[in-house]
Amino acid sequence: MTTVDLPALKRRNPLGDVVEASGVQLRGQGRVRQGVCPFHEETEGSFTVYADSERWFCFGCGEGGDVLDFVRRVENLDLPEAIRRLNGGVGKGVPGVAVLRPVAVSPPRRTASPPTDPALLNAAARFYAGRLRRSPGAQAYLRSRGIRPETAARLGLGYAPGGGLRAHLAAIGFPRDRLRSSGLFTEHGERFAGMVVVPDLIAGGRVRWLAGRAVEPERSPRFQTLPGPKPVLGTGRLGAAPPWAVLAEGLFDWLALAQWGVPACAALGTQGAERIAAALRGCSRVFLAFDADDAGQAASERFVELLGRRAAVVNLHREAADVAELATCPHGYATFRRLLVQAARTAA
């Protein structure tokens, strides 16, 4: 039996080179590169390659892994076949990099996106909310992030323990085909298992979308959403023409702002700027409160370009890494209000 040195095999086959050899075009040259996912229908570029960890993850379909996982998925191979494939090819001028059969990413591969099913999503959100009330661990996690119980109740937050949802939905009358197309379940089980679940609401309190954040730090992926087109989290609560709103980056940034009563929405990343700007076209003033890192600052600059005079940048870098960090500080809201006022004066 031949023994394969898997770490050496992976070093000879850098993930980014293998992904591009398959036909996926990656943007950027730094630690994080992104492109259109070859495994589900999308146009925004949710497929992300991390050079430091040599891992990939798609924020659209929730799939991820290392270079072997990518080869297995894109070529429909088992693990031994994927190892043999990586062990034997040469591609793109890089010695040892396997040449994969190109995948169709332009236009994107067409797979069915889950239909909007507010009744089913409402029922799922109620189930998760009930499980949050019974989960001391999930409640403790929210408190550690600065989110109070009354905020969790007001925003309809929930917790997915990883079991019971399918049986519950079936018991209250949802047929199997609606469960199958809902996006709530994957081949591995419940999509949001082990996560705090955040519903995105529209008029009348109906749930149009769900996002989740893992409670345990070692869980991967840390963040999940329903597959398919993504709304801009929070815009359903703003109304058609809000006088002003804050655009933040992450899920817990938005939860902090909502807890403070600040009209806000979340980009949930730094991609899809044009789509997000279009969703805020009726807002007279947009305060940009992105993370105080290079990616966040680059996103702020992009939104200033798109929004023009309507944009105002909230400068967080001297106070916190992001809005979510302020939520854990004793005077976090007062600090954010001060930064918001400064941003308004600068933009006036």
Side-chain angles (χ1 to χ4, degrees):
M1 179 180 293
T2 302
T3 301
V4 177
D5 185 343
L6 289 182
L9 178 67
K10 293 177 183 180
R11 286 193 298 270
R12 292 197 306 271
N13 292 273
L15 175 60
D17 293 322
V18 172
V19 168
E20 290 195 312
S22 76
V24 178
Q25 296 182 354
L26 296 176
R27 299 187 300 273
Q29 298 295 326
R31 184 182 68 84
V32 180
R33 304 175 68 192
Q34 292 183 303
V36 174
C37 182
F39 305 127
H40 78 291
E41 177 185 357
E42 68 155 2
T43 58
E44 295 171 10
S46 302
F47 183 89
T48 306
V49 171
Y50 300 94
D52 52 358
S53 62
E54 286 290 303
R55 306 280 296 182
W56 60 274
F57 180 71
C58 178
F59 289 93
C61 63
E63 297 295 333
D66 62 10
V67 66
L68 285 169
D69 296 312
F70 179 81
V71 173
R72 292 176 66 185
R73 283 293 309 274
V74 81
E75 294 269 358
N76 193 27
L77 304 176
D78 60 21
L79 181 58
E81 290 172 327
I83 291 172
R84 284 194 292 272
R85 176 59 65 102
L86 283 183
N87 227 2
V90 177
K92 306 205 104 176
V94 181
V97 174
V99 177
L100 305 183
R101 292 189 295 270
V103 295
V105 294
S106 180
R109 283 175 57 172
R110 296 292 170 180
T111 57
S113 296
T116 301
D117 196 339
L120 188 147
L121 295 182
N122 276 327
R126 287 193 296 270
F127 173 86
Y128 291 142
R131 293 304 182 270
L132 177 61
R133 292 191 292 268
R134 304 177 194 177
S135 174
Q139 294 174 35
Y141 172 70
L142 287 173
R143 288 194 299 271
S144 75
R145 301 297 302 268
I147 304 303
R148 299 189 294 267
E150 57 269 28
T151 301
R154 176 168 60 85
L155 298 179
L157 304 189
Y159 173 66
L165 177 63
R166 187 186 298 272
H168 170 77
L169 294 174
I172 60 178
F174 289 100
R176 185 177 302 174
D177 59 338
R178 284 178 73 177
L179 300 184
R180 188 166 47 246
S181 64
S182 68
L184 292 168
F185 306 96
T186 71
E187 59 184 8
H188 305 297
E190 294 184 15
R191 179 173 298 277
F192 297 109
M195 294 186 168
V196 166
V197 181
V198 180
D200 189 37
L201 305 182
I202 55 177
R206 291 177 298 155
V207 178
R208 65 172 173 177
W209 195 59
L210 295 169
R213 178 74 175 183
V215 170
E216 298 297 332
E218 68 275 8
R219 189 175 185 87
S220 179
R222 296 279 291 143
F223 176 73
Q224 276 274 29
T225 70
L226 289 177
K230 297 175 176 57
V232 181
L233 178 65
T235 51
R237 299 172 182 264
L238 295 179
W244 66 279
V246 175
L247 175 61
E249 187 170 329
L251 194 62
F252 272 84
D253 297 331
W254 181 78
L255 289 176
L257 293 166
Q259 177 166 268
W260 296 333
V262 175
C265 53
L268 299 182
T270 58
Q271 298 299 309
E274 292 81 2
R275 169 182 59 87
I276 296 165
L280 292 168
R281 59 184 175 271
C283 186
S284 301
R285 171 69 76 189
V286 180
F287 291 92
L288 306 173
F290 281 80
D291 296 359
D293 57 14
D294 291 344
Q297 297 311 298
S300 289
E301 293 172 5
R302 178 60 178 144
F303 278 104
V304 168
E305 293 177 1
L306 292 171
L307 298 170
R309 296 177 62 86
R310 293 191 294 136
V313 178
V314 180
N315 195 344
L316 292 170
H317 75 275
R318 293 182 179 178
E319 304 291 346
D322 52 29
V323 175
E325 183 178 314
L326 288 176
T328 66
C329 301
H331 305 292
Y333 178 42
T335 299
F336 185 78
R337 280 178 57 90
R338 173 170 54 80
L339 297 176
L340 199 62
V341 170
Q342 290 175 357
R345 289 173 177 169
T346 301

